[in-house]
Amino acid sequence: MPPKRIYGEKGGRRAPKGFVASTYETLTSAENAAFVRSIAIFGAAVTFLSSSWGEILLPPQ
């Protein structure tokens, strides 16, 4: 007796996701939100401190 067919998506197999699509999905997943947010805040802080605006934090002379 042949095996029963499982009816799901039409077209059979799905193509594997590309690098950009899988990276985007990983970065936007809920379980990685805290990590991605902390990296973004760190990058913004480094950018601010390395710019001329970082001199605002220096004490007056």
Side-chain angles (χ1 to χ4, degrees):
M1 195 164 150
K4 294 181 180 179
R5 294 192 121 196
I6 299 174
Y7 296 103
E9 299 176 13
K10 291 186 178 183
R13 297 182 182 178
R14 291 183 58 188
K17 292 182 181 177
F19 175 74
V20 174
S22 64
T23 302
Y24 178 77
E25 184 176 328
T26 301
L27 291 176
T28 56
S29 68
E31 61 188 28
N32 293 334
F35 179 73
V36 172
R37 193 177 309 125
S38 64
I39 295 296
I41 291 171
F42 177 76
V46 168
T47 303
F48 174 78
L49 293 174
S50 66
S51 71
S52 61
W53 285 92
E55 296 176 4
I56 294 173
L57 300 176
L58 294 175
Q61 292 183 2

